[in-house]
Amino acid sequence: MSNGGNANKRDINAIDWKTVLVFVSIAFSSQCGGGFAAGSTPWSYFFINTGFYGMLPRLVQPYFCLFMPVVVAAINCFIIYFFMKFAMDFRTFDYGSFLGKYGERFLGGKLAKPMQIVYEFNFNWLLIVCMALSYSTSGSALKEITGIPYLLTTFIVGIIMLVLCMKGSDLVRKNAVFMSAVIFITLIAIHVPNLIYNIAGGNLKSEMQIMGDSLNQGISSGEGSFLKYLLTALCWAYIFSGQNLGGFGAYVNHAQIFPNKRTLRWAVVLSVILNWVFLEMAVFNLASHYSQVLEGWKSGRAIYTMLVVENGVGGPGVKALLLTLITVAIFFATISTAINYAHGFNDRVINWYQKRIKEDPQISGQKRNKRGTVLTLCYVIITWGVSQVGLTSLVSKGLTLVSYITLFTLIIPTIINAIIGWKDREYSEVH
């Protein structure tokens, strides 16, 4: 009997590798969106940033760029593990109930409701920014490949998203694994050969020397000290992490798939390592072509991975193939992300409306598709207008605001709750 009990306990605590792979795929797809694949997001946070309406120092010394992804990985690993563990232990699988329970555990629960309200604003703002960012990234990629004006390419992307949201979302979901595989293979095909080429050829060393000289000039001129530049870099590394963590409301529900804490730990650690490796490779290659990317940034280009390819390994044929692949990958990443956000927005609004007017469920079911179409059209028009602000502005302003709010609605509460601690929930075969 004792051996049987021990065997059963081992089964209960066994790592569910299928669940690990599912979560790693979700985490990878979430981070490797269009801005990541295009190189615009890491460039804006780790290399050049114009600040945030005077509230943050400008990031003008990218010498620390290779170290910053490590900081991002450390923050993500700590925060994701503890809020997913909390969701598992307290069975809170939507961000409303999660934040309510999270906020109850300190300051007498006075911040629970404000946290929910503020994060609701944050999440909806994130939806708008990310969908508009999808237009900007896809539109910029199509513009660079086809030469079609940016206004027209973003309009084309908007039409495609509207059609897919209305009729093709099921097909998009069924092919989500395929899309993730395309992104994964494309980024490997681009970054690994170029990483080897840039390190072996001395490109990385020479460009890091240029960044180092810029840092020394800034220090000698009195513009800043080494410590100031380092703290500024750490600040922007957090902001990069904060804007990613701001979307936790879209995947906290995945905490219910984990059968035990061992599976959760492996899933979080492996997902963070995978995302860090891809982010680090992207940053290494951007750093290796810092001078060319900087000129592209000054001239208004937004797809910096294309500059890496254009100045990297291979002949004209190989580069043409890689440019086509990265365009497809960016398009898949941005379109699928936008569709998921749009449907998430529709579901929340329609459910709230139906509950408020106390409509008969049968009538609601009949009107749901029509209401969803109208909402999608309105949302596409609004976010298309926002996208015309420009990709760099959206990254440095919109997502920075998200990271600010996330600091107070998730980061600080997670640190407090981790320090306070809570009793682990006992898991059984039926959880």
Side-chain angles (χ1 to χ4, degrees):
M1 292 295 292
S2 177
N3 291 338
N6 290 336
N8 186 52
K9 186 176 181 179
R10 285 196 297 270
D11 291 338
I12 292 172
N13 293 321
I15 299 171
D16 185 343
W17 290 108
K18 182 178 180 180
T19 300
V20 170
L21 290 175
V22 169
F23 184 79
V24 169
S25 298
I26 293 170
F28 177 74
S29 299
S30 297
Q31 180 166 333
C32 291
F36 181 95
S40 55
T41 307
W43 174 262
S44 296
Y45 285 93
F46 300 158
F47 291 86
I48 295 294
N49 198 295
T50 57
F52 184 67
Y53 299 112
M55 298 170 65
L56 283 176
R58 295 172 58 207
L59 178 63
V60 294
Q61 297 295 343
Y63 182 73
F64 305 98
C65 60
L66 302 184
F67 170 70
M68 293 167 75
V70 178
V71 179
V72 173
I75 295 173
N76 285 354
C77 191
F78 177 85
I79 300 298
I80 292 174
Y81 174 73
F82 276 103
F83 81 66
M84 293 292 280
K85 181 178 182 294
F86 188 94
M88 288 176 64
D89 287 335
F90 290 92
R91 314 303 289 168
T92 53
F93 301 129
D94 67 84
Y95 67 80
S97 61
F98 175 89
L99 289 175
K101 192 67 177 178
Y102 229 38
E104 287 176 4
R105 304 188 71 249
F106 53 90
L107 296 180
K110 295 178 181 178
L111 296 181
K113 192 63 178 179
M115 281 171 60
Q116 289 177 310
I117 295 172
V118 172
Y119 183 76
E120 184 67 37
F121 162 78
N122 196 37
F123 190 63
N124 280 276
W125 170 243
L126 182 62
L127 297 184
I128 293 173
V129 172
C130 285
M131 192 165 179
L133 197 58
S134 297
Y135 287 110
S136 300
T137 311
S138 295
S140 297
L142 290 176
K143 175 187 174 182
E144 295 204 21
I145 289 294
T146 65
I148 300 175
Y150 174 78
L151 187 69
L152 182 57
T153 58
T154 53
F155 180 77
I156 293 172
V157 172
I159 296 297
I160 293 173
M161 285 197 290
L162 177 62
V163 172
L164 290 176
C165 283
M166 291 168 55
K167 299 180 180 181
S169 60
D170 290 338
L171 180 62
V172 172
R173 291 192 184 102
K174 290 177 181 179
N175 285 279
V177 175
F178 169 74
M179 292 182 181
S180 296
V182 171
I183 297 170
F184 181 88
I185 293 172
T186 300
L187 292 181
I188 287 289
I190 290 172
H191 287 302
V192 172
N194 276 288
L195 183 64
I196 297 171
Y197 171 79
N198 290 323
I199 294 176
N203 292 344
L204 178 62
K205 182 179 180 180
S206 61
E207 292 296 324
M208 288 302 298
Q209 182 63 49
I210 292 174
M211 289 184 240
D213 291 343
S214 176
L215 176 69
N216 292 330
Q217 289 173 10
I219 295 174
S220 61
S221 67
E223 180 182 331
S225 64
F226 182 89
L227 180 60
K228 177 184 175 181
Y229 290 135
L230 175 61
L231 292 177
T232 301
L234 292 175
C235 175
W236 282 104
Y238 158 71
I239 292 172
F240 183 92
S241 177
Q243 59 92 7
N244 281 321
L245 294 171
F248 91 97
Y251 55 86
V252 69
N253 62 306
H254 296 299
Q256 60 191 310
I257 69 176
F258 294 105
N260 53 58
K261 302 296 174 53
R262 290 186 68 200
T263 302
L264 173 66
R265 284 192 290 270
W266 275 97
V268 171
V269 170
L270 291 179
S271 65
V272 169
I273 290 175
L274 180 65
N275 288 337
W276 167 72
V277 168
F278 274 85
L279 180 60
E280 197 71 75
M281 285 195 298
V283 171
F284 262 81
N285 282 323
L286 287 172
S288 300
H289 299 285
Y290 171 72
S291 299
Q292 294 94 333
V293 178
L294 181 61
E295 290 303 314
W297 175 76
K298 290 178 180 179
S299 63
R301 294 189 67 173
I303 311 300
Y304 306 126
T305 308
M306 289 185 172
L307 291 171
V308 171
V309 172
E310 291 170 1
N311 293 281
V313 66
V318 172
K319 291 180 179 179
L321 175 60
L322 292 178
L323 288 172
T324 301
L325 287 176
I326 195 61
T327 303
V328 172
I330 292 171
F331 192 77
F332 277 179
T334 54
I335 292 294
S336 60
T337 300
I339 291 171
N340 290 332
Y341 275 129
H343 276 277
F345 173 81
N346 289 349
D347 287 341
R348 282 205 313 282
V349 172
I350 293 173
N351 291 338
W352 168 82
Y353 178 74
Q354 290 172 175
K355 183 178 180 180
R356 181 175 182 179
I357 66 175
K358 299 179 181 179
E359 189 175 55
D360 180 82
Q362 186 174 358
I363 296 176
S364 296
Q366 294 171 353
K367 296 182 177 181
R368 192 172 186 87
N369 287 341
K370 183 178 179 180
R371 289 169 176 166
T373 301
V374 173
L375 276 173
T376 300
L377 177 60
C378 294
Y379 200 47
V380 164
I381 292 173
I382 292 171
T383 54
W384 179 83
V386 173
S387 73
Q388 302 311 305
V389 174
L391 179 61
T392 301
S393 178
L394 284 168
V395 169
S396 62
K397 301 296 191 294
L399 295 183
T400 300
L401 177 61
V402 169
S403 66
Y404 266 152
I405 298 176
T406 304
L407 178 65
F408 297 101
T409 57
L410 182 67
I411 307 295
I412 293 178
T414 297
I415 294 172
I416 294 174
N417 278 312
I419 293 173
I420 295 173
W422 61 83
K423 184 179 180 180
D424 283 353
R425 183 175 185 269
E426 293 294 332
Y427 278 76
S428 61
E429 291 184 4
V430 180
H431 61 281

